[in-house]
Amino acid sequence: AKKRLDVAYRQVPVRYTKPYPGVHDLLRRLQSKGIALGVYSNKGQDLVETVLSICFPDIDFCFEAGWHGKYEPKPSAQAVHAFCEKTGLAMADILYVGDSDVDFKTARNANADYRILTWGSRSKEMLLASGVDENLLIAKIEEIEGLF
């Protein structure tokens, strides 16, 4: 079943994949402030690049990492360190934003400041049960911009 899903997803990668409301506008504003933006996904590298080019054609991501053999998959912090190396930023200067317990573990493994969205792929209850600090959960997209 997973193989059929992967084949279907590759044929039409954005059929059901859409940016959450407000995300595109937030990324535009962050980009206009000169903030380096990166993506780290456990989807294949080719899918990451395709989805980003279709959903965010005007956003210049300086780092796009998918699962393709170059970096270990999340929750490894390998790609987070590579982002810092590429941008010249210290780990203390980045904010890792995700929507799952795997993202929480990735940020923790990188020793990065993080926020986890409660309206993504996991419920608030699931995130709390996985150990995410309630104070680091984000319920509204507007809360993220205030962190920069």
Side-chain angles (χ1 to χ4, degrees), residues 27-45:
L27 293 175
R28 278 191 205 115
R29 289 191 301 273
L30 294 176
Q31 181 174 267
S32 73
K33 292 179 180 181
I35 294 172
L37 302 171
V39 173
Y40 185 18
S41 173
N42 276 352
K43 291 179 178 56
Q45 182 70 27

Side-chain angles (χ1 to χ4, degrees), residues 9-10 13-14 39-41 43-57 59 61-68 70-71 86:
Y9 193 40
R10 286 179 188 290
V14 294
V39 173
Y40 185 18
S41 173
K43 291 179 178 56
Q45 182 70 27
D46 58 334
L47 284 174
V48 170
E49 291 172 4
T50 299
V51 169
L52 292 177
S53 69
I54 293 170
C55 292
F56 303 104
I59 304 299
F61 294 100
C62 66
F63 188 83
E64 298 174 3
W67 194 358
H68 63 305
K70 190 170 184 181
Y71 305 107
K86 181 172 184 175

Side-chain angles (χ1 to χ4, degrees), residues 97-141:
V97 178
D99 68 352
S100 72
D101 51 320
V102 175
D103 287 311
F104 159 64
K105 291 171 187 169
T106 304
R108 193 174 58 186
N109 288 340
N111 198 27
D113 189 14
Y114 69 91
R115 296 298 184 277
I116 304 295
L117 310 171
T118 60
W119 36 268
S121 65
R122 305 287 190 277
S123 70
K124 179 179 180 179
E125 293 73 26
M126 289 175 71
L127 294 166
L128 290 171
S130 71
V132 179
D133 182 330
E134 187 164 12
N135 294 326
L136 300 177
L137 292 173
I138 297 287
K140 297 179 182 175
I141 190 75

Side-chain angles (χ1 to χ4, degrees), residues 65-87:
W67 194 358
H68 63 305
K70 190 170 184 181
Y71 305 107
E72 296 170 359
K74 296 185 282 184
S76 167
Q78 192 179 53
V80 182
H81 289 286
F83 171 83
C84 288
E85 189 174 308
K86 181 172 184 175
T87 60

